[in-house]
Amino acid sequence: MGVRFDHPWFLLLLLPLAAGVIYAYRADFRLSGIRRQLAIGLRTAILVLLVALLSGLQTYTLVKDKEVVFLTDRSASMPELGPVQDWILKAGEGKGAEDRVGIVAAGLDAAVDKNLDPRLISDESLKAEVHADFTNLERGLELSGSLFSGQGNRRIILISDGEENVGEAIKAANTLKERGIAVDVLPVPGKERKDASVEDFQVPGKLYQAESFAFEVLIRSTFSGNAELGLFEDNREISRQKVTLERGDNRFTLQGLAQRQGMHRYRAEVFADGDEQSGNNANYAFTRVTGSPKVLIVEGKSGTSANLENALKSGLVDYMVIGPGMLPSEMTKYAAYDSIIFNNVSADQVGGKTMNLIEQAVRSYGIGFVMVGGEDSYGMGGYFKTPIEKLLPVSMELEGKRQIPSLGLILVIDRSGSMDGEKLNLAKEAAQRTVELLRSQDTVGVVAFDDQPWWVVEPQKLGDKKDVLTQINSIPSGGGTNIYPAVEGALNKILSVSSQRKHLILLTDGQSAVNNGYDALLETMNQSKITMSTVAVGEDADTKLLQSLAQGAKGRYYPVTDATTLPAIFSREAAMVARTYIVDKPFVPALVSPGDWGKWFSGGVPKIYGYVAATPKSTAQTVLASPEPDPLLARWQYGSGRSVAWTSDLTGKWSRDWVSWPSYAGLFTEMVKWTFPQFSASPFEVNTTIRGNEIQFEVTAEGEAPPEELEAAISGEDLREEKVPLVQSSPGVYKGTMLADEPGSFLIHLQGKSGGKMIDGGTGTGLVIPYSPEYRLLNDEPLEKLQKIAEMTGGRVLDWNKPEAAFHFAAKSYPSPHDLERPLLIAALLLWLADIAIRRLALPWGRMAERLAAAMPWRRRARARSA
């Protein structure tokens, strides 16, 4: 036990205090006798306590307790956790009773497995999850160092292979050294593995069609032998050749030919017998091939695009025709096209994710979009409140233009346990979107069922949509599946509804407990002119039952494998039942605002026999309109791209005079060309460097007047778009960084501002993080870095065979202080109260003092000795 003062110079106040006490004894004092002595003594004691408080009086004890934090590397390059856990458990057995131990896990991030405390380590102490695709030992060391509370005997035991790819562990170790924290290391030797990795792949960023170019590939190998090197363009193999690998770095240069224009992603992949790690066998590169424009035609029904193809052929526009199921699922593949045409395609054929990709391709990357009408398009195709509706110059809501038959609609939704999660959420979104389509004179009801039906919304006129939407959103998941009672209840309710058209929509993903008795229900539906459509979600649904119910009730059957199409199916059903979108009568379109397309109509406009009704958006340009008036041809700018809406068909059913019109091919080709990206070539050169999880951009602006501001919009495969500001480091050179935590493909779209005007730099390039850097084959020796950390911090290199050595280090005594601030304040307060009592209360203080003195132990012992 010892005593120390934080501010010892305050003890000098004791000198004037002593003088004051002497003066008080000699001076006249209002009190006398023992009362005077007690008052002076109490005041002196109070002042002494206050001086001790100001000087920071503390007591301390010398301790030799140890504080140890185990920092475990949990990245993908590390072997299994079992041996590490066993070593830590054995090492923990050597700790003292008062020693404190903690555990930290490190990957890209860091997490505390066990707080620093005297508790023993258990099997449950290593359960924290970290991002394993990267190694950031710097963050792990920083978090470990923040756990310590003592002043000495502090150590971190770093268990790692040393292969860090994010941060600088040496930097963190230097900070720990300044704090007196030693870092012991337990090196994890890398497993000898037969492995070949494609470390680098270079392709020119810009090419012209038919230009020959060179691929440069760097393959790093841990063995010598034969292998094959394959080259792929957009997943299409363009070359494969045999190569000989030597241990170490192998460089190959191969020739290629730019055959197709657009943005292309090339892949180099190595195939070697006995390769034990396939995750690093491929690398990627992007290039843009300039040439004639290319258009993607997506047709809802096969063989219905002949008139579109002939028009594009006459305009010398290259094109490709596919079905909706073949639409790309990666953003990078849409960059190969200048415009996309939907020819009578319904939204349920496309899916939610694909619609999001197309919307982003138009908005951010300037790719054009044209929608050609038909019975499966626009509102009839279920595009209400979809990403495609966002990019179109028309909306699907009709806004009370025409008399609409009143509709009675009841939604029968499966809420069984198997629907829990995304399926039920999408079903609720589908029901809500359907309600938003309906009007105040329509009647809607919603019944959810598991083994029993539950009326979420009793059939009612749509007075307050918000209340109905709220009730739908509250549907929880339940138990089993029994379809019959729910359908029977919905039918009984809709029979009493007064509407011109009545319809049921049944959605389920399971097998019903009862599969008979539906004949009577179907007969009642047919007699009462009630229709029913069914939606089977997933492969476990009773497809035969649902198909027969839809057929018997004169409705439609939808087998759904992509749950994101549910909202489109429901809104399409509501539109098809009402039949209000199709205007099936002949008319001559009226010119509204033709602009630069006016020259095509100088000789008149052909007759149209039908179209799908829509509403023009406020900033859209309506070129042709019907007598309603509804837009027949409209266009607008959407973000960086342009889109055109043609609400009639082009198969000849409604447009037979139009497709035989001499000017049709020229006008349609110009409509498509108008949507092409508005930049001929990007005025920027983009270079990217990937270091760990950081992407560094360097953009060089061509020309004498670089933009004042520049930013890059980076889009990944998850559809998230991140804006990266680019700072001008020198005239015409801009730099910026972005963090990428996952491997994947990214497209870069540049936008600038100069003189107050926006500059569209177009899709500069793409980049790929092919695989986690944890799978890279390193040339340096990472274990040397661990040894350096131990040396600079005064740590040790530990042995896997001696875990008990973790706590076997010389412990130095260090003071453990005990703060006396609170006790000193309490004592001063009590003495102050006693001083007040002595001065204010008239008590026999002399007799009390004598009795108190007589009761003291030493007085009792003196009396005993004299006796």
Side-chain angles (χ1 to χ4, degrees), residues 38-340:
L38 287 173
I40 294 174
L42 288 173
R43 291 187 181 184
T44 302
I46 292 171
L47 292 173
V48 169
L49 290 174
L50 292 177
V51 170
L53 187 64
L54 290 172
S55 63
L57 174 64
Q58 291 180 337
T59 60
Y60 65 87
T61 55
L62 294 176
V63 296
K64 292 186 177 182
D65 299 338
K66 301 173 182 178
E67 293 185 342
V68 175
V69 174
F70 292 94
L71 173 56
T72 61
D73 183 350
R74 306 275 182 85
S75 61
S77 63
M78 287 284 290
E80 296 181 359
L81 186 60
V84 174
Q85 183 170 350
D86 293 341
W87 193 91
I88 293 177
L89 288 172
K90 292 177 182 177
E93 295 173 358
K95 86 175 198 69
E98 298 301 321
D99 292 342
R100 294 150 58 88
V101 62
I103 302 175
V104 171
L108 174 61
D109 49 350
V112 177
D113 261 322
K114 179 184 179 300
N115 285 314
L116 192 65
D117 55 46
R119 291 183 298 115
L120 292 173
I121 302 171
S122 67
D123 292 337
E124 300 297 318
S125 298
L126 282 79
K127 296 295 183 183
E129 293 185 1
V130 292
H131 197 310
D133 282 343
F134 299 88
T135 302
N136 189 345
L137 297 180
E138 178 184 3
R139 184 169 296 180
L141 289 170
E142 289 173 348
L143 179 58
S144 300
S146 69
L147 298 183
F148 292 110
S149 58
Q151 299 299 317
N153 302 324
R154 299 171 296 174
R155 282 183 182 261
I156 297 173
I157 298 179
L158 172 58
I159 307 173
S160 173
D161 58 6
E163 296 182 7
E164 68 169 344
N165 41 59
V166 178
E168 297 180 26
I170 296 293
K171 179 180 175 183
N174 191 51
T175 303
L176 294 172
K177 174 187 175 183
E178 294 175 357
R179 293 177 56 194
I181 300 173
V183 179
D184 296 338
V185 296
L186 180 63
V188 179
K191 180 183 176 182
E192 279 295 328
R193 175 180 290 163
K194 187 178 180 182
D195 190 13
S197 70
V198 183
E199 292 293 313
D200 192 28
F201 181 38
Q202 297 292 330
V203 177
K206 295 179 182 179
L207 293 169
Y208 292 97
Q209 197 166 11
E211 179 184 358
S212 61
F213 63 98
F215 296 94
E216 295 181 6
V217 185
L218 169 61
I219 299 177
R220 188 167 293 156
S221 178
T222 63
F223 65 96
S224 299
N226 296 323
E228 288 187 343
L229 177 59
L231 295 174
F232 300 82
E233 181 186 75
D234 301 326
N235 294 328
R236 179 179 63 91
E237 185 173 307
I238 59 175
S239 173
R240 182 183 287 254
Q241 68 180 62
K242 294 182 178 180
V243 295
T244 301
L245 299 179
E246 299 295 338
R247 189 180 181 89
D249 288 351
N250 302 263
R251 296 184 180 274
F252 301 97
T253 301
L254 306 172
Q255 294 298 314
L257 181 67
Q259 298 181 356
R260 300 184 297 172
Q261 66 89 30
M263 180 75 81
H264 296 290
R265 184 178 70 175
Y266 290 92
R267 180 173 90 248
E269 188 168 359
V270 63
F271 305 92
D273 292 336
D275 190 346
E276 299 178 25
Q277 176 60 265
S278 61
N280 55 9
N281 286 5
N283 210 322
Y284 300 80
F286 275 95
T287 189
R288 176 177 288 278
V289 179
T290 57
S292 60
K294 188 170 184 178
V295 174
L296 179 66
I297 300 176
V298 186
E299 54 182 12
K301 294 180 182 178
S302 180
T304 58
S305 301
N307 292 327
L308 280 67
E309 296 179 51
N310 292 334
L312 294 177
K313 284 179 184 176
S314 67
L316 302 177
V317 176
D318 191 15
Y319 65 89
M320 175 183 287
V321 182
I322 64 171
M326 297 179 63
L327 278 164
S329 58
E330 298 177 20
M331 175 65 72
T332 53
K333 294 185 178 179
Y334 286 96
Y337 303 100
D338 294 272
S339 188
I340 301 168

Side-chain angles (χ1 to χ4, degrees), residues 800-846:
W800 279 93
N801 298 319
K802 298 178 180 179
E804 66 279 359
F807 283 87
H808 291 178
F809 57 90
K812 297 179 180 179
S813 298
Y814 66 92
S816 176
H818 307 290
D819 190 12
L820 297 179
E821 181 178 346
R822 184 184 292 269
L824 290 174
L825 283 172
I826 293 173
L829 177 61
L830 293 175
L831 292 177
W832 177 61
L833 293 174
D835 175 62
I836 293 173
I838 288 173
R839 289 185 290 105
R840 298 294 184 184
L841 298 179
L843 297 174
W845 295 104

Side-chain angles (χ1 to χ4, degrees), residues 467-532:
D467 182 54
V468 174
L469 296 175
T470 301
Q471 293 179 61
I472 292 172
N473 198 46
S474 67
I475 300 176
S477 61
T481 305
N482 195 358
I483 299 173
Y484 183 86
V487 175
E488 182 185 34
L491 176 59
N492 292 335
K493 292 279 188 179
I494 205 170
L495 285 172
S496 59
V497 170
S498 177
S499 297
Q500 293 170 285
R501 292 175 182 168
K502 301 178 182 181
H503 187 63
L504 306 177
I505 302 178
L506 167 64
L507 179 148
T508 181
D509 73 336
Q511 304 280 335
S512 177
V514 177
N515 280 337
N516 49 30
Y518 291 101
D519 292 342
L521 296 182
L522 294 174
E523 185 177 350
T524 303
M525 289 182 192
N526 292 330
Q527 290 175 355
S528 305
K529 295 184 178 179
I530 298 170
T531 56
M532 180 173 71

